[in-house]
Amino acid sequence: MTSVTGPPETMMEKQHELTPMLSQYLELCSQHEDALVLFQVGDFYEAFCEAAEVVARTCEVTLTQREDSTGTYPMAGIPIDNASGYLKRLVDADYRIALADQIQDAAEASGLVDRAVTRVITPGTVVDDELLEAGTTNYLTSVAQSESGTFGIAAIDVSTGECFVTSVGDRAGLSEELDRIAPAELLFGPSVADFSSADGLTAWSVTDTDPALFDRGAAVSCLSGYLADPADRLETDAELRAAGAVLSYAEYTQGDDGSLEYVSRIRRYDHREHLRLDAAAIQSLELFENRGLGAGETLFDVIDETSCALGRRCLNRWLRRPLVDREAIEQRLEAVAALTDNAVVRTELRELLKDAYDLERLVGRISRGRATPRDLRSLHATLAVIPELREKLAEIDGTALEGHRERLEPLTDIADQIDSAVVDDPPMELTEGGVIRPTYDDTLADLRSTEQAGRQWVAELEAHERERTGIESLSVGHNQVHGYYIEVTNPNLDSVPEAYTRRQTLKNSERFYTPELKAREDEIFGAAERADSLEYELFCSLREKVGVETERIQRLATAIAELDALCSLATVAADGEYIRPTIRDSTAAGIDIEGGRHPVVETTQPSFVPNDADLSAGEVAIITGPNMSGKSTYMRQVALTCVLAQIGSFVPAEAAELPVLDRIFTRVGASDDIAGGHSTFMREMSELTEILHDGTENSLVLLDEVGRGTSTADGLAIAQATTEFIHDELGAMTLFATHYHGLTNLADEREGIFNLHFAATREGDEVTFLHRIAPGASSASYGIEVARMAGVPETVVERANSVVASSEVPVDGTAGSSVGSSESSQPPADPAPNEEPDRNSGGTDTERPNEQTGAVDDRVSYPDEEFETADSDDRVSYPAEEFFGGVGDPAVDEPLDEESIVRVAVALRSLDVASMTPLEALNTLDELRTTLK
Ligand code: ADP
Ligand code: MG
C-alpha cells in the first residue's frame, strides 16, 4: 500500500501530542490501513498529509494546511453536499475511500464529536448512482483455488444485488471468465495471488485482501445469511470460499449492519451453458470496445437501441453470454420477430419504457435503507407504466410475447402504498418534512393542522393588532433567532399596549412579543418539529415495507429489462434490414450466409459489399488477398452474425442458416495486433495451443494472420501444421486469413480445405479494392501500391518496385524451408507488372484453383457476370514474390514482408531526428532493424 493510506508518518511521530481531533483521525487511519480516509469536519470531508496532496491533485481542490501547536499539516477538503463528483475521481484513480462521518450531532457533543467510518467505497462496491454509469454492470469479483487446482469465481454487483458463482478448470479458463465478467475490482484468494502479475491480468483493479476472508468457516457463516445450505448449494469448496469472500467484503464496505438483503438469489452457472467467447474473441470482435485508433463503434453500440437502463444492462449481459440452448434462442427470435412485425406497437412500447427507472439499483438502495423519497416516487412512476405496457403487448397477435406480458406484474399493492404515503414531488431532504401526505397518518394530520391553525392565527395577527393599537405601520414578522415578533417603528412607540414585551431593539424600530404570540409560536414549532420527525419515521417504515417486496420488484425489473432488450433488437432488425436466421440442429452444424454484412463496418462505410459464407463442420477456408482488401472484416462478420443469432437477434444478411456454436475462438497474429501491444509471438502460440486443446466440431475458429510474429519459414510451417491439425483432428469450422500463399496448396491436398480470396482492381497506379470474396486463391498482393496509398514517399515506392523486379527470391516465403508442396516454390509465369495480364497464367490459377478436389465451385454462390468483371478481367497477376515483399538476399536472410517495409518507412518518416540523443537514435535504429528481421 502507498503512503497515501494508513496513518501519516508525520502525525505518528507526534502521536501523543496531537489534538483530540487529529488523534481521532489517526486512529481511523490505522483502522483502515488500505483506504484513503475522508474525515468529516463540518460541511467538508478533509484529508491530511500525503492523502491531502492526492485529494488536491486528483480532485483539483486547493491544498491548504492545518496548523496547531504540534505542527503544520497539509490539508485538502471536498464539500460533502457535492461530494460525488470528487469521490468518482478518486475511485477512478483506483483509491479505496473510507468515509469517516460525524455520527453525533455537533451541538450535542461535549467536546470531540464522535466519528466512524460509515462506508468504504471501492471500485467494485460503488452503489451511488452518481458514481456509476447508467445501464452498466459493476462487478466485485473474487477467485479462490481448490486443492485440485480448479478455480471458483464469485461476482456481485453491489448496486443491484446480482450475484453469481461459477467454476473453471484452469488458468486459461479463469482468464477467459474474468474477461467476460469485466470486474471492476478483483479479490484473489491465497493461492491465486500470484496470478495477476503472471497472466496479463493487470488491467483489472486487484485489491490486496486478508487471506482470512477466504476461510471456509467464515464463508459458510456469511453465506448462510443468503442461502439455505450453502455447502450443498455450491458445487465446490472453491466456489464456496469465493462466494463467502465476495459477500463479506461487500458487506464490510457497506458499513452499518452489513447484511445485503436485496441479494435474494445467488445464481450458479456452468460455462457450458453459454457460447464461450474468450478474451481474445471479445476483444478482436470488438463487442464492447473498439480497439482501433480513435475508437469508434462496437457491436454493442450498434445493437443498443434500448430505452432504459434496465434494458441496456440486460442487453449487455446477453451479449456477454450468448445462448447455446436452441429452444431459448428460438424463443427470443420469436419475440424479436413479433416486435419487428408490429412497428407501431414497438414504437409505443419503447416510448413507455423510457419512463422506467433503474429498478435494479433502486431496489438495492431501498433494501440498504438509502432510498430517498424521490426514489420511492420513481418506483411508483415505473409501476404506473406497467398496465399500459401490458395493454400494448396484448395488441400483438400470437403467443411470442405472452410470457413477457404475464411477468409484467403491476404490483399495485406496492404502488398504492407509495402513492398514498409520499407526496407527488417530494424534496431531496428526508428530515425536513413535506415528504408524507398528512392524510396518510392521523397523528400527522393533527400535528399539521395544529401547525396550520397557528400559522393562520399569526397571519391574521397583524390586521388584528393594527386595529387594536391604531398603529398603521405595525407589522408581524419572523426570524430564525428570535422567532415571531411584532414590529413598531420608533414614532409609534407611545401607542404600544402594556402587554407587549420588548424582544429586540433596532435602529428605527422595536420588536415585541405578547404571551399569546409566544404560546402560539411554541405550538407551531412544536407541532412542526414533531410532524417532521414523524414523517421521517413513517417514511422509514414505508421503505422497510417496500424493502420486504424486494424479490417481486426484482422479478418485475427483469421482465421490463428483457422486454426493452427485445424491443432494441427488433428496432435494429427493422432499421438495419436484418433477417431472422434459421438455427440448425446443432448436429447438422454448418454456416450458410447469403449476402452477409459486417454489422459495425456497414454503419461506418458509405457502401458495404455483402458477401456469402458457406462453411460446413470440419471445413477450413483459407483466405488470401491484398492488405486492406477485406479479409479481417469478412471473417469477423461471419463470427458476429453467429453471435447475434445466439443472443436471439436477427442478423445483417439476406439469408442465414446457422448452427449453435459452442465456442468462438479468434486469434489475431502478433504483427497484426499492433493496438493490443502485448501480443508477442509466444503469446500467440500459447493461445493457439489453447484452441488446439479446446475446440470442437461446433466451434468457429478465426485465425487472422497467425504465425506472422516469426520468420516467414517458421510462420508458414506453424500455420500449415495448425491448419492440418484443426482440419484433421478438431473438425472445427475455420476461417484462416493468411499472407502465406504456400498455405493455399493445402486445398489440393485435403478434402474440406478450400481457398477464398479478395480481389482488387488496378487502374494505372490506383488500386481499388472490391471487398468481394471469390473462390480460389489470390495471386497478387498489390503490397507496394498499398504502401503508396499509405503515404510512403514516392522514392521508397519506386525503389521497392525495382527491388521486386530484380529480386530472385523464391516465391511463397518457402525459402530455406521444407514445407509447402514442391510446385509452390516455383515461380509462376511471369507477366511484367504493367503488362496486360495473361488470363492463362495467374488468372487460371485464380479461377480454377481446386479443380482436383472440386472444393471451390459452389462454395460461394456468386453471380457469374459479377465474378467475371470484378475478378478475371481486371485482374493483374504478379509474380508471387511481390506478395511476400521478396526483398533481400536469399542467401543471407529471410525475405521481408511488405508490411514491415511499410512500417519501417512510416516510422522513419515520423522520426524527429534533430531532437534525439545519439543513444535514442541507436536504440530506434536497432528497433527498426528488429522489425525487418
Ligand atoms: P484486410 O484484413 O484484408 O487487410 P480489412 O478487413 O481490415 O482488410 O478491411 C480493410 C477496410 O476495408 C475496412 O476497414 C473497411 O473499411 C473496408 N472493407 C472491408 N470489407 C468491406 C466490404 N465488404 N465492403 C466495404 N468496405 C469494406
Ligand atoms: Mg486484416
Side-chain angles (χ1 to χ4, degrees):
M1 282 290 114
T2 58
S3 59
V4 172
T5 61
E9 257 172 51
T10 42
M11 286 192 185
M12 283 302 274
E13 286 162 8
K14 299 174 190 146
Q15 201 174 353
H16 302 291
E17 307 158 29
L18 291 175
T19 61
M21 193 184 86
L22 287 185
S23 326
Q24 195 184 32
Y25 171 74
L26 197 64
E27 194 185 320
L28 290 171
C29 283
S30 15
Q31 283 167 11
H32 293 85
E33 287 243 312
D34 51 359
L36 194 158
V37 173
L38 290 179
F39 189 76
Q40 181 181 7
V41 182
D43 294 336
F44 280 81
Y45 281 130
E46 302 284 2
F48 300 95
C49 303
E50 289 89 349
E53 283 160 27
V54 166
V55 170
R57 201 167 51 236
T58 315
C59 302
E60 295 178 62
V61 294
T62 322
L63 185 65
T64 57
Q65 36 194 333
R66 182 181 177 89
E67 231 179 305
D68 62 30
S69 56
T70 65
T72 306
Y73 307 99
M75 174 172 94
I78 59 177
I80 292 180
D81 264 356
N82 199 2
S84 29
Y86 297 110
L87 294 178
K88 180 163 173 49
R89 288 193 187 194
L90 290 167
V91 172
D92 285 349
D94 259 350
Y95 289 104
R96 297 151 51 75
I97 298 155
L99 293 182
D101 286 303
Q102 296 176 347
I103 50 168
Q104 185 185 21
D105 197 333
E108 283 167 22
S110 56
L112 188 62
V113 187
D114 261 354
R115 291 183 179 81
V117 169
T118 54
R119 259 178 68 201
V120 179
I121 305 178
T122 72
T125 60
V126 177
V127 288
D128 317 60
D129 251 2
E130 297 87 353
L131 306 191
L132 288 167
E133 219 178 292
T136 56
T137 50
N138 196 65
Y139 293 119
L140 168 73
T141 306
S142 70
V143 181
Q145 190 169 19
S146 70
E147 275 169 22
S148 64
T150 63
F151 297 93
I153 305 173
I156 179 172
D157 184 334
V158 185
S159 69
T160 65
E162 180 195 4
C163 184
F164 56 82
V165 181
T166 189
S167 280
V168 292
D170 54 19
R171 292 195 162 219
L174 175 57
S175 177
E176 175 183 330
E177 196 55 39
L178 289 179
D179 266 299
R180 198 191 329 270
I181 295 171
E185 184 176 359
L186 256 176
L187 314 173
F188 284 128
S191 52
V192 202
D194 60 334
F195 183 73
S196 55
S197 49
D199 296 57
L201 274 183
T202 33
W204 310 122
S205 163
V206 179
T207 300
D208 284 335
T209 42
D210 182 353
L213 196 65
F214 285 83
D215 240 29
R216 188 188 157 91
V220 172
S221 84
C222 168
L223 280 168
S224 48
Y226 301 88
L227 270 181
D229 298 300
D232 295 341
R233 299 281 289 280
L234 296 176
E235 202 83 345
T236 64
D237 192 59
E239 284 185 5
L240 186 80
R241 290 187 294 123
V246 90
L247 279 162
S248 40
Y249 183 83
E251 286 178 355
Y252 150 74
T253 61
Q254 297 312 301
D256 300 342
D257 64 348
S259 166
L260 308 167
E261 271 149 34
Y262 56 108
V263 178
S264 53
R265 189 164 160 238
I266 299 178
R267 197 162 47 91
R268 185 185 181 281
Y269 69 84
D270 188 299
H271 58 68
R272 281 179 299 246
E273 292 163 24
H274 306 286
L275 163 62
R276 293 177 65 188
L277 297 161
D278 55 357
I282 291 177
Q283 282 171 20
S284 77
L285 295 176
E286 303 190 325
L287 301 187
F288 298 100
E289 247 172 273
N290 184 299
R291 308 195 313 142
L293 304 169
E297 293 244 295
T298 64
L299 182 65
F300 185 72
D301 294 334
V302 169
I303 61 171
D304 179 18
E305 289 290 339
T306 52
S307 304
C308 64
L310 286 173
R312 184 157 198 263
R313 193 177 302 121
C314 173
L315 191 64
N316 188 303
R317 286 184 194 134
W318 283 2
L319 188 56
R320 279 187 200 278
R321 296 198 168 77
L323 303 168
V324 290
D325 176 16
R326 197 163 167 270
E327 278 293 294
I329 296 172
E330 286 293 353
Q331 262 176 27
R332 279 197 201 155
L333 284 173
E334 200 62 40
V336 172
L339 289 164
T340 311
D341 292 345
N342 290 274
V344 178
V345 175
R346 184 181 73 239
T347 313
E348 288 168 344
L349 285 172
R350 292 179 68 215
E351 207 47 49
L352 288 170
L353 285 165
K354 283 189 188 143
D355 291 335
Y357 285 85
D358 189 343
L359 294 192
E360 288 176 324
R361 286 188 186 162
L362 217 140
V363 155
R365 287 202 292 280
I366 292 175
S367 165
R368 283 191 306 271
R370 291 185 191 271
T372 63
R374 288 187 182 180
D375 282 335
L376 287 197
R377 280 311 315 187
S378 302
L379 172 57
H380 178 266
T382 310
L383 296 179
V385 182
I386 305 300
E388 289 181 76
L389 283 175
R390 290 177 64 105
E391 268 170 43
K392 286 289 152 226
L393 281 173
E395 290 175 27
I396 295 180
D397 290 337
T399 56
L401 289 154
E402 222 171 67
H404 290 90
R405 199 170 77 91
E406 270 156 31
R407 286 195 293 137
L408 286 171
E409 249 199 274
L411 307 183
T412 24
D413 51 329
I414 300 175
D416 291 349
Q417 251 186 54
I418 295 174
D419 197 35
S420 66
V422 183
V423 300
D424 289 345
D425 191 9
M428 286 293 272
E429 269 310 315
L430 176 51
T431 49
E432 284 162 21
V435 169
I436 304 290
R437 297 187 202 277
T439 47
Y440 182 64
D441 182 88
D442 291 343
T443 315
L444 181 63
D446 285 350
L447 289 169
R448 288 295 181 209
S449 72
T450 306
E451 185 192 348
Q452 241 2 79
R455 290 190 195 278
Q456 187 61 33
W457 184 89
V458 172
E460 286 161 8
L461 183 67
E462 194 171 277
H464 190 262
E465 289 298 298
R466 278 185 190 174
E467 201 186 310
R468 183 158 84 97
T469 59
I471 305 172
E472 276 301 301
S473 60
L474 178 146
S475 64
V476 173
H478 175 260
N479 73 21
Q480 285 291 330
V481 185
H482 298 287
Y484 286 111
Y485 55 79
I486 302 168
E487 186 167 314
V488 178
T489 50
N490 291 346
N492 294 306
L493 288 179
D494 288 347
S495 319
V496 166
E498 292 257 316
Y500 280 25
T501 310
R502 184 158 297 155
R503 180 163 252 179
Q504 195 185 6
T505 303
L506 304 177
K507 196 167 150 218
N508 300 318
S509 59
E510 298 276 339
R511 289 176 175 176
F512 304 90
Y513 65 94
T514 63
E516 297 84 29
L517 183 58
K518 184 83 187 87
R520 287 291 180 166
E521 179 179 294
D522 291 348
E523 196 176 271
I524 294 171
F525 290 115
E529 206 172 289
R530 281 178 56 208
D532 289 353
S533 48
L534 180 58
E535 281 197 24
Y536 179 81
E537 277 168 31
L538 289 169
F539 179 80
C540 292
S541 81
L542 173 69
R543 185 166 60 191
E544 265 170 44
K545 267 193 238 163
V546 176
V548 172
E549 305 293 346
T550 295
E551 284 194 56
R552 286 169 75 206
I553 302 173
Q554 282 173 336
R555 272 202 301 276
L556 176 66
T558 309
I560 298 175
E562 290 181 359
L563 179 62
D564 191 23
L566 290 169
C567 282
S568 176
L569 292 180
T571 304
V572 173
D575 296 351
E577 292 177 22
Y578 287 18
I579 52 98
R580 178 172 178 170
T582 304
I583 308 297
R584 293 172 155 173
D585 282 346
S586 50
T587 41
I591 294 170
D592 188 358
I593 300 170
E594 275 173 42
R597 310 181 309 268
H598 189 296
V600 181
V601 177
E602 75 164 334
T603 63
T604 60
Q605 211 69 4
S607 68
F608 190 87
V609 182
N611 279 305
D612 297 347
D614 186 354
L615 193 67
S616 299
E619 287 190 325
V620 179
I622 297 184
I623 307 171
T624 44
N627 266 331
M628 296 299 286
S629 61
K631 301 182 296 295
S632 301
T633 308
Y634 175 75
M635 296 201 303
R636 286 175 172 82
Q637 93 190 22
V638 172
L640 290 173
T641 301
C642 295
V643 169
L644 281 173
Q646 287 185 242
I647 66 170
S649 167
F650 282 19
V651 298
E654 275 154 33
E657 290 192 27
L658 304 168
V660 176
L661 299 175
D662 61 355
R663 294 188 71 159
I664 295 179
F665 295 94
T666 69
R667 291 299 176 260
V668 178
S671 66
D672 230 39
D673 187 21
I674 302 160
H678 51 241
S679 197
T680 61
F681 181 66
M682 266 311 290
R683 176 153 183 155
E684 188 181 322
M685 286 302 110
S686 74
E687 289 179 346
L688 249 186
T689 320
E690 200 183 305
I691 298 185
L692 301 185
H693 282 135
D694 293 355
T696 74
E697 58 177 13
N698 292 318
S699 307
L700 173 65
V701 178
L702 306 187
L703 301 171
D704 198 348
E705 310 278 9
V706 168
R708 271 200 115 152
T710 183
S711 72
T712 306
D714 290 358
L716 175 60
I718 288 163
Q720 177 162 346
T722 306
T723 312
E724 288 172 0
F725 181 90
I726 290 177
H727 174 264
D728 301 349
E729 308 290 330
L730 292 188
M733 288 161 270
T734 306
L735 295 170
F736 193 162
T738 184
H739 68 297
Y740 290 124
H741 215 249
L743 214 54
T744 59
N745 295 310
L746 278 175
D748 300 337
E749 294 167 14
R750 279 176 164 74
E751 185 95 25
I753 299 186
F754 60 93
N755 290 318
L756 296 173
H757 77 277
F758 278 91
T761 54
R762 184 176 132 153
E763 280 168 35
D765 282 349
E766 289 298 303
V767 173
T768 310
F769 297 122
L770 304 171
H771 300 308
R772 185 161 284 151
I773 193 103
S778 153
S779 60
S781 85
Y782 302 88
I784 293 173
E785 275 72 14
V786 175
R788 176 183 281 133
M789 286 163 74
V792 172
E794 201 55 32
T795 45
V796 175
V797 173
E798 271 165 30
R799 172 69 187 138
N801 265 322
S802 71
V803 172
V804 167
S806 66
S807 168
E808 288 171 340
V809 181
V811 293
D812 288 359
T814 50
S817 144
S818 59
V819 287
S821 60
S822 55
E823 305 95 68
S824 73
S825 54
Q826 270 159 32
D830 175 29
N834 291 323
E835 265 176 34
E836 187 64 19
D838 179 355
R839 284 217 210 174
N840 293 326
S841 55
T844 310
D845 170 47
T846 307
E847 286 167 33
R848 303 188 181 285
N850 288 312
E851 240 171 353
Q852 301 95 313
T853 62
V856 162
D857 307 341
D858 294 313
R859 191 63 53 200
V860 175
S861 54
Y862 204 78
D864 268 352
E865 334 142 25
E866 271 182 65
F867 183 71
E868 286 302 318
T869 46
D871 210 50
S872 317
D873 286 353
D874 297 341
R875 194 161 189 89
V876 183
S877 298
Y878 276 79
E881 57 260 53
E882 185 183 328
F883 190 71
F884 294 105
V887 184
D889 178 355
V892 177
D893 250 328
E894 296 296 338
L896 296 174
D897 74 71
E898 101 283 270
E899 215 177 281
S900 313
I901 300 176
V902 172
R903 196 164 312 134
V904 170
V906 170
L908 278 173
R909 198 166 67 157
S910 63
L911 278 189
D912 183 5
V913 180
S915 72
M916 293 174 99
T917 66
L919 189 62
E920 281 168 356
L922 261 181
N923 282 334
T924 309
L925 196 59
D926 188 52
E927 270 170 34
L928 290 177
R929 199 172 60 106
T930 325
T931 311
L932 287 177
K933 262 185 183 160

